[in-house]
Amino acid sequence: MDANYFLGQDMIDALQNAYDKEISLTGKEIIKQIMDNAVVAKSEEVPMCQDTGFAVVFVELGQDVHIEGGSLEDAINEGVRRGYTDGFLRKSIVGHPLERENTGDNTPAVVYYKLVPGDNLKITVAPKGGGSENMSAIKMLKPAEGLEGVKQFVLDTVLAAGSNPCPPVIVGVGIGGTFEKAAMLSKESLLRAVGTPNPRPDIAVLEKELLNSINNLGIGPQGLGGRITALAVHVNVYPAHIASLPVAVNINCHANRHKEIIL
Amino acid sequence: MSEIKLITPVTDAITKKLRIGQKVLLNGVLYTGRDAAHKKMVELLDSGKELPIELQGQIIYYVGPSPAKPGQIIGSAGPTTSGRMDLYAPKLIALGLKGMVGKGKRSPDVIKALKQYNSVYFAAVGGAAALISKSIKKCQVVAYPELGPEAIYRLEVESFPVIVVNDTLGGDLYEEGTKKFAIRLK
Ligand code: SF4
């Protein structure tokens, strides 16, 4: 619920910065409306966007934690059910991808688990809207296509997305691993506070370069033209097979929502 | 940014003056409609029946709001992707629909119909749903209540902020805006 009502300070700062930098008057006006929207959503405790998303949940489970009284996944779904019902959030999930009957309570969530040392249980909820998720893409490049191939694919994906993911966006990129690992890397990179660089200096440089090239595309806020198409590019990498170079791009809209709790 | 105030219903004389990139504040009545309601309306037309709403001079807003909290007029009500209505829109434009509000590009057929019938397409800011809801003063179902959030609602709005994207001259801000601000390297 909170994730849908309150935009994080990292996003508010990034938007203010974007407002200062945007040279298109229309673009500036749009960024201003997005910032005003965050203020209204917060003060009235209403969702900032009517698409309150698929509940994507990342669980970091300490190895020493023992959960009693039922399954964690059931508990998470019950939380989603209550949050979306009591919080007056839109129910956007259909129970069967082809039959498309709404489940009525926004369940089930998409849940990922990671086993970590210690005795904490950390749960991060990142509701994901359909508009931006639909514009994501993955490609298995040939290793010979290298860095240039990666850059080109990221730019092509953002260009093809155009106005659909409600720019300004945050672009998550996963490079390496396998098909699904690359997708996971790109999604996880979006959990970072906006604009926090990858700790690896070479990747941080790539993030900057990509941000620059994306903003040179001219798509701008809402795709109506301008210098600020993306607020940040986050790249995560992983070792790859000698024969492959997977690249995944996951786009997040300005309603970049996430909320963590540690139990 | 300077603003133009529009009060619905609108006439050709008014829509013809609008140009891409202008900021407009909409006032008066807007009708909502998404895919399901559009499909039903076009089916009625195709079978020679009357529509449940009079379209002459009106504006349709593509939206499926989140549920209203107690005491709220409407839930968060930002624009949805307009492309899904492209198949149906030209028929409604031909009947006198003078404007549509949504987000995202329109098809060449829609742009052609806008030009031919002096209608315009506006973009509202996608994701600015809480802000937009504040400009909605009244909300009442007028057709297809069985569709829930996809029913046709009659909204009364005050200073609902939108931007002209496709005007009666065939202009397209998605194309022209991007071209204007793109920096081509090499
Ligand atoms: S892309 Fe994001 S801001 Fe746009 S409608 Fe979807 S959830 Fe809302």
Side-chain angles (χ1 to χ4, degrees):
Chain A
M1 251 159 87
D2 281 4
N4 266 306
Y5 297 166
F6 309 127
L7 197 59
Q9 191 59 41
D10 57 331
M11 277 300 294
I12 294 172
D13 294 344
L15 285 166
Q16 183 61 51
N17 184 24
Y19 179 81
D20 296 341
K21 281 202 197 136
E22 181 55 81
I23 54 169
S24 148
L25 289 180
T26 306
K28 256 194 187 325
E29 166 67 28
I30 290 164
I31 298 170
K32 186 171 165 291
Q33 286 190 30
I34 292 171
M35 291 194 288
D36 290 348
N37 184 60
V39 173
V40 173
K42 184 173 172 185
S43 70
E44 314 224 333
E45 302 201 354
V46 293
M48 47 196 139
C49 181
Q50 74 283 350
D51 183 351
T52 47
F54 212 137
V56 182
V57 181
F58 296 86
V59 178
E60 282 185 24
L61 183 64
Q63 285 169 6
D64 305 333
V65 179
H66 180 69
I67 296 170
E68 283 173 5
S71 98
L72 181 56
E73 189 127 349
D74 288 349
I76 288 172
N77 279 322
E78 184 54 31
V80 168
R81 185 172 297 125
R82 282 197 216 152
Y84 276 75
T85 311
D86 302 348
F88 299 93
L89 306 183
R90 195 177 80 182
K91 287 54 167 193
S92 314
I93 305 305
V94 293
H96 186 297
L98 297 174
E99 288 161 16
R100 308 206 68 84
E101 189 89 36
N102 199 302
T103 61
D105 57 9
N106 220 63
T107 63
V110 171
V111 191
Y112 298 110
Y113 300 92
K114 203 183 217 170
L115 214 50
V116 295
D119 58 0
N120 282 338
L121 170 62
K122 180 170 148 193
I123 299 179
T124 305
V125 186
K128 188 70 166 74
S132 56
E133 190 71 0
N134 284 348
M135 295 298 122
S136 306
I138 189 162
K139 194 171 181 191
M140 308 301 283
L141 297 179
K142 296 185 187 72
E145 292 175 84
L147 184 60
E148 281 316 306
V150 169
K151 286 185 188 166
Q152 196 56 49
F153 179 62
V154 174
L155 287 182
D156 290 347
T157 306
V158 175
L159 195 59
S163 67
N164 293 311
C166 295
V169 293
I170 298 106
V171 181
V173 181
I175 310 174
T178 47
F179 178 73
E180 81 291 353
K181 180 71 184 176
M184 215 36 213
L185 290 170
S186 67
K187 176 130 279 174
E188 281 167 356
S189 77
L190 292 173
L191 295 175
R192 266 192 250 158
V194 177
T196 319
N198 187 299
R200 287 185 49 162
D202 57 328
I203 303 301
V205 169
L206 175 63
E207 289 175 338
K208 269 208 180 129
E209 273 180 37
L210 282 170
L211 179 61
N212 221 333
S213 319
I214 288 171
N215 286 339
N216 283 345
L217 292 173
I219 299 169
Q222 296 292 303
L224 296 174
R227 239 356 103 59
I228 307 288
T229 305
L231 298 170
V233 178
H234 294 173
V235 180
N236 280 4
V237 294
Y238 198 78
H241 188 277
I242 45 172
S244 28
L245 175 53
V247 190
V249 180
N250 194 204
I251 300 180
N252 214 350
C253 52
H254 60 81
N256 175 24
R257 299 157 281 200
H258 38 84
K259 176 96 193 160
E260 286 178 16
I261 39 166
I262 299 178
L263 302 171
Chain B
M1 239 189 151
S2 63
E3 303 162 343
I4 298 166
K5 198 174 158 188
L6 268 197
I7 302 173
T8 65
V10 291
T11 60
D12 286 21
I14 294 170
T15 55
K16 273 175 157 169
K17 274 194 255 162
L18 296 173
R19 290 293 172 269
I20 61 169
Q22 285 175 332
K23 181 182 176 190
V24 174
L25 296 176
L26 299 176
N27 295 273
V29 172
L30 295 182
Y31 289 101
T32 72
R34 291 174 53 115
D35 327 27
H38 274 76
K39 185 159 178 259
K40 286 193 174 229
M41 284 197 283
V42 168
E43 276 166 8
L44 282 181
L45 288 177
D46 289 347
S47 59
K49 298 205 183 89
E50 291 241 334
L51 292 184
I53 50 172
E54 165 63 46
L55 288 179
Q56 185 59 48
Q58 298 300 338
I59 298 179
I60 291 188
Y61 179 30
Y62 301 144
V63 62
S66 65
K69 278 183 155 183
Q72 250 190 335
I73 296 162
I74 192 167
S76 289
T80 191
T81 304
S82 309
R84 293 197 313 271
M85 271 58 79
D86 280 355
L87 220 51
Y88 312 113
K91 290 199 175 161
L92 305 184
I93 296 168
L95 282 178
L97 179 68
K98 285 291 160 232
M100 289 149 288
V101 182
K103 65 168 179 126
K105 279 189 185 161
R106 306 312 303 263
S107 70
D109 283 347
V110 174
I111 294 174
K112 208 171 108 198
L114 292 174
K115 224 172 136 179
Q116 187 178 352
Y117 296 101
N118 293 317
S119 178
V120 281
Y121 171 56
F122 304 98
V125 175
L131 183 71
I132 290 171
S133 306
K134 293 217 74 157
S135 64
I136 300 174
K137 303 299 170 192
K138 264 192 198 162
C139 167
Q140 177 195 351
V141 185
V142 289
Y144 313 133
E146 68 280 9
L147 297 179
E150 296 210 39
I152 299 183
Y153 291 83
R154 182 181 185 275
L155 307 179
E156 281 179 34
V157 301
E158 267 174 41
S159 300
F160 180 126
V162 294
I163 292 158
V164 182
V165 169
N166 295 111
D167 57 22
T168 56
L169 299 179
D172 184 350
L173 187 58
Y174 286 116
E175 295 288 330
E176 291 168 40
T178 299
K179 246 185 242 155
K180 186 167 157 198
F181 290 99
I183 299 173
R184 290 262 162 259
L185 305 171
K186 279 176 270 178

